[in-house]
Amino acid sequence: MKRKCVIIFLCLLFTFLLFLVQISSEKRPPFKTPRPSFDYDGVGFQKEMRFSDACRLWLLDIGQTPVPTLLIDRHILKQVENGRCDQMDGIRTAIQIGVDVEFQWKSDSWDKKFEVLFYVNDTEKDYLDFRTERRKIIPKNFPTQRIGNLLIPTVIPVFLEFWHRANYVPCRNMTIKRDSPRLETFPFLQKYILKDPPIPARESVRHLAALRDQMLRFGIFPFLNGGTFLGWFRECTVIPHTTDMDLAIFSENWNTEFFEFLWSKQSKFRVKRQLGMVNDSYEVTVLPKTGFPTPIDIFLLYEGRNHTTGADYRWVGGTAIDGQKYKYIYPPYDPYCSADLLGHIFWVTCTPEVKVTVGTVLLLKTTVPLLQLEYGARWYTDRNSLKYVWNAARNVVRNGRFSEKQMRDDVYNEYRF
């Protein structure tokens, strides 16, 4: 009798699973065939500059330093970028340079025309750590040209953005008591019905850093978003039960050439899906071609204005399989600070806990911390990913609907590999 009950239960469970699969397949637009990969010609890459003869001579003159130095002076770099080095002979302020702290013993021998900022170059980290009065960190992987003992960045606009975003913001490193739902004891349910398996933290962050570097080649500056931002700020790591990673980009900083590059042989990633349109609710999910297949969601952050209140805000979109669109509402955003996530530099908002007014679109005439806006008053407590409903966040509002034709032809593209 007991065996019969077990068999009946298994049959009912199997039927239920088939029913769920059928329901899902009926609602979901059909999978599409991936585009064939190709050799990318580099047309969208940020170009390295060639120094004018006047700049080369001027840089050679100031480059006679006792040890290797990095030119970080923003005013000088802008003049070099514009080829106006013949106008720099009358400079009265000290020229900012970066020097590895291992050469600090040479500090007494520096010419007074320099302002020396010492940095730590830790081989375990992918950034240079300037221990100035306000700590600053910048990526270490950028192209330079050496003239004398002076290293000059050759993609100056990108380097200047590094320095603009260099102010360091620490994470909270909180100890979190984990929320463990009963369903996690049934891994087959977790995998096939509810969620993908959790991602490995360190390998996934390495993938995220590799994606960051590929974006930078196109002049795109991503910043941490969603659960990845929450995990960094709250715990200084990846939330252990999360199943993907999240980046956001200002919509005006997006380069469509990068999406083309993702289909190339040179890309370290492949496109898993692309939702929405570039001007509306755009989202791209990529997977690394090697190693653990960590899904990384890339969202565009758009500008918006409440026509009733006149208040500005930012938003990212979400698209359901039935075409319903959603907006995640944020206050005017400031992703101009740097953070360390497991030894890798990423950009984050400078004000994760500063209170913001949320009466823009959500009709909440109150002031709350930024994290509370999305994750509620108890953002500092764990909520297992199995319980997360993507379109039920506090800062989500409905935003119209894509038509069936749009869903089929343009805005809901999932690729079958």
Side-chain angles (χ1 to χ4, degrees):
M1 183 68 182
K2 185 177 180 180
R3 181 177 295 176
K4 288 183 178 179
C5 291
V6 170
I7 293 173
I8 292 172
F9 171 76
L10 291 175
C11 290
L12 290 173
L13 179 60
F14 181 71
T15 302
F16 176 65
L17 292 175
L18 287 178
F19 172 75
L20 288 179
V21 171
Q22 178 66 24
I23 292 297
S24 176
S25 63
E26 286 178 356
K27 291 183 178 180
R28 185 183 301 275
F31 283 87
K32 297 185 177 180
T33 303
R35 291 165 52 180
S37 59
F38 65 98
D39 288 313
Y40 188 71
D41 60 8
V43 65
F45 292 158
Q46 294 284 293
K47 307 302 181 186
E48 293 189 50
M49 71 167 297
R50 289 186 173 185
F51 303 125
S52 67
D53 291 340
C55 284
R56 185 173 294 278
L57 288 172
W58 189 86
L59 292 168
L60 182 61
D61 181 56
I62 68 167
Q64 306 307 310
T65 56
V67 297
T69 61
L70 174 65
L71 181 61
I72 59 177
D73 192 289
R74 286 171 288 182
H75 172 70
I76 299 296
L77 286 171
K78 287 180 180 179
Q79 296 290 84
V80 171
E81 182 185 11
N82 294 324
R84 298 175 179 170
C85 298
D86 54 344
Q87 303 175 19
M88 293 195 291
D89 291 336
I91 290 177
R92 298 179 181 178
T93 57
I95 300 170
Q96 281 192 336
I97 54 174
V99 177
D100 195 313
V101 72
E102 69 177 43
F103 297 116
Q104 195 163 5
W105 60 276
K106 285 271 191 182
S107 58
D108 292 337
S109 63
W110 287 101
D111 191 301
K112 298 301 182 183
K113 67 183 176 185
F114 294 118
E115 179 186 356
V116 181
L117 304 183
F118 291 101
Y119 60 79
V120 176
N121 186 3
D122 188 337
T123 57
E124 299 297 317
K125 303 182 187 299
D126 66 3
Y127 57 82
L128 303 178
D129 192 346
F130 289 81
R131 298 302 175 90
T132 49
E133 183 177 355
R134 174 76 187 268
R135 184 180 175 188
K136 298 176 180 290
I137 62 175
I138 63 171
K140 65 171 67 171
N141 183 23
F142 54 88
T144 61
Q145 184 173 335
R146 184 166 180 160
I147 298 179
N149 250 348
L150 194 65
L151 292 173
I152 306 100
T154 53
V155 186
I156 291 176
V158 170
F159 183 83
L160 291 177
E161 281 295 327
F162 289 168
W163 201 247
H164 177 56
R165 301 162 188 263
N167 287 339
Y168 176 79
V169 174
C171 48
R172 290 282 296 274
N173 200 20
M174 301 169 67
T175 300
I176 304 297
K177 182 179 179 181
R178 294 293 164 209
D179 176 16
S180 300
R182 296 175 184 175
L183 280 175
E184 73 173 5
T185 59
F186 300 95
F188 69 95
L189 287 177
Q190 176 174 322
K191 182 175 182 180
Y192 293 107
I193 300 178
L194 298 174
K195 292 285 183 181
D196 293 326
I199 59 177
R202 291 196 175 274
E203 182 178 0
S204 297
V205 173
R206 286 197 297 270
H207 291 321
L208 198 66
L211 182 61
R212 172 208 65 201
D213 287 344
Q214 292 203 334
M215 288 180 171
L216 288 174
R217 297 191 71 183
F218 291 84
I220 299 173
F221 290 83
F223 43 94
L224 299 186
N225 187 55
T228 306
F229 171 75
L230 176 65
W232 159 75
F233 183 71
R234 193 175 66 182
E235 306 165 44
C236 299
T237 186
V238 177
I239 298 173
H241 49 72
T242 195
T243 58
D244 62 11
M245 306 201 81
D246 301 300
L247 292 174
I249 301 161
F250 282 153
S251 59
E252 59 269 28
N253 185 221
W254 180 248
N255 185 340
T256 55
E257 193 69 26
F258 175 69
F259 183 74
E260 294 300 311
F261 172 77
L262 286 172
W263 295 98
S264 73
K265 296 175 183 177
Q266 290 92 327
S267 173
K268 296 180 181 179
F269 299 87
R270 61 183 182 182
V271 180
K272 179 184 179 183
R273 65 178 182 176
Q274 173 262 309
L275 308 180
M277 296 178 285
V278 172
N279 65 346
D280 185 4
S281 307
Y282 197 64
E283 174 186 350
V284 178
T285 300
V286 299
L287 301 174
K289 290 179 178 177
T290 60
F292 189 88
T294 301
I296 303 175
D297 292 331
I298 305 167
F299 298 91
L300 294 197
L301 195 68
Y302 301 91
E303 292 181 305
R305 169 166 288 190
N306 186 309
H307 296 296
T308 301
T309 64
D312 295 325
Y313 61 91
R314 285 277 185 173
W315 63 278
V316 300
T319 305
I321 58 176
D322 64 354
Q324 177 66 57
K325 296 190 293 182
Y326 297 87
K327 276 185 179 182
Y328 290 76
I329 306 298
Y330 298 94
Y333 219 67
D334 63 338
Y336 301 113
C337 284
S338 296
D340 176 304
L341 179 58
L342 301 181
H344 299 272
I345 183 174
F346 294 99
W347 293 289
V348 297
T349 174
C350 300
T351 54
E353 289 188 283
V354 171
K355 291 188 175 183
V356 296
T357 301
V358 294
T360 52
V361 171
L362 299 177
L363 304 180
L364 300 174
K365 295 181 180 179
T366 185
T367 302
V368 299
L370 177 60
L371 284 166
Q372 185 174 325
L373 176 62
E374 184 166 1
Y375 296 103
R378 296 178 61 81
W379 60 268
Y380 49 83
T381 61
D382 189 55
R383 184 182 182 191
N384 196 280
S385 297
L386 294 178
K387 297 181 178 180
Y388 179 70
V389 180
W390 69 270
N391 57 357
R394 285 170 48 92
N395 61 330
V396 168
V397 296
R398 289 178 180 266
N399 186 36
R401 184 183 296 272
F402 288 118
S403 69
E404 289 187 19
K405 185 179 186 304
Q406 286 177 312
M407 290 288 285
R408 183 179 64 251
D409 297 341
D410 300 312
V411 302
Y412 203 98
N413 302 302
E414 282 197 272
Y415 301 97
R416 188 186 301 278
F417 291 95

